[in-house]
Amino acid sequence: MSVHGPAPFAPSAPLKLFNSLTRQLEEFQPVHAGEARVYSCGPTVYNYPHIGNMRAYVFADILGRTLSFKGLKLTHVINITDVGHLTDDADDGEDKMEKMAKAQAQSIWDIAQHYTQAYWEDVKALNIRQPARWTIATEYVPQMIAFAEKIAARHCYELDSGLYFDVSTVADYGRLARAQTEDGEGRIEAVEGKRNAADFAIWRKTPPGEKRQMEWDSPWGKGAPGWHLECSVMSGEVLGFPFDIHTGGIDHREIHHPNEIAQNQAFCCTNGLDLPANSGARVWMHNNFLVERSGKMSKSSGEFLRLQLLIDKGYSPLAYRLMCLQAHYRSELEFSWDGLSAALTRLKRMLIAVGQLKERAGETEAQPGPRFTSFLERFDAAVSDDLNTPVALTVFEEVLALKKVDASEKLAALAAMDAVLGIGLLTLDRKALRLRPKGVEIEEAEIEAALEARRAARADKDFARSDALRDELAAKGVEVMDGDPLGWEWKLV
Ligand code: AMP
Ligand code: ZN
């Protein structure tokens, strides 16, 4: 194996990210030189994640990969919410975990373990890199109590139902949501005795005579932490205030993150949001929603859109990843099966081209030479422009289509870009894109044998036999794709 070529490409475009707090593109300035510390609100593990939830982590992954590409040492934390998230964000309703445990007659701990595992499988299938730390909410309860104790006297008051945060004690409450304190959108004054409609529970007391499956002793009696408190504590504890970037879905911009910010201000004794660092994180970033018209994203509908459903229908999870990257993270993305099929076709085309290139390049390793610099610069400019993956993808394809260039150098240029896009095209096996839809029983060896027999029949000009073989395969769910421009030959339907 030989290595030749110039030094690796060094990205130099200024990284601009959209900060929801200022509603502006801002050049990224790390809190600690050379580092990027990122916290992403993780899933509430009371059910399988739907693919909309997973869009939030594909986005966080692209952000993390871009920060790494820019040479920053990344520390990424994603939490697992296994307690405290109510069915209504405004302090009303039951704990989602308790509710599911009751419905399934299982312990909350088993529910949490099962759905955390399912979430991690989706993370893996979508090529989302492992964060430096997964913080599990129930493992941080003592720290949550200590945090609440520190802010209680100046910022909180106690009611029978819990310890509440008084949002009027911090400046600029709700700036992130651009909402008024008193009548913020979607708020319901569900708890009697709250001083302001937007006040929220940071500790929820177990009602007298009740026993919750998950409860802890605290200065305010037995109970459980509030969801907003959890994220303030886990982010500050692991990354230190102020850290660089906090991410979540756009819904969190309205209640969850303004409440985290209020707690962070109280904890850090920094009032006013004139300095972004006062909010706990310098930059707050939010992905827009994946939407689906027929309501199948809802976890309560029978066939809800979880990643496994896509797999069962024969779609590689990476086709979904590509679908996410085809839209900018701040745009709404509409899910459709046609859209997913188009993404899969695009992925196959890329993979075929990379496969041919790998054959030409052989074992030689290289760095992308000067011929590729302008492309890499454009790729860098795209991802540095608030993670513009749609443009970055087209640059990737332009390089893929380049003729008369050194195959090894071209592969190296593609590898540098793929490290950010995270599709894994250079190591992806073609077979991984030909998934077996649920219910199809035929084995690959049988298909290959039938196709071989069919090729022989056609060579003998025995078209009746050839057609019969094709029909037999069709009856078993295999569509033979004669003259397939993608060279895929057959697919399971
Ligand atoms: P949850 O498990 O409900 O706490 O949600 C996990 C993540 O998914 C959060 O960051 C949400 O903001 C995000 N999210 C929820 N629904 C969608 C959706 N349809 N599209 C994109 N992100 C979503
Ligand atoms: Zn959170």
Side-chain angles (χ1 to χ4, degrees), residues 41-46 49-57 81 85 96 227 247-252 257 287-291 297 299 320:
C41 279
T44 309
V45 286
Y46 71 104
H50 57 53
I51 55 172
N53 297 133
M54 296 314 294
R55 185 183 187 201
Y57 306 105
T81 303
H85 193 170
K96 290 186 180 186
W227 174 44
T247 80
I250 190 92
D251 52 331
H252 289 350
H257 289 170
N287 63 278
N288 211 324
F289 264 31
L290 179 80
V291 293
M297 201 91 76
K299 295 183 185 182
Y320 176 62

Side-chain angles (χ1 to χ4, degrees), residues 450-467:
L451 285 180
E452 191 47 51
R454 188 162 173 265
R455 273 191 285 272
R458 284 160 77 95
D460 291 347
K461 303 219 175 332
D462 184 352
F463 295 112
R465 167 121 182 92
S466 157
D467 287 351

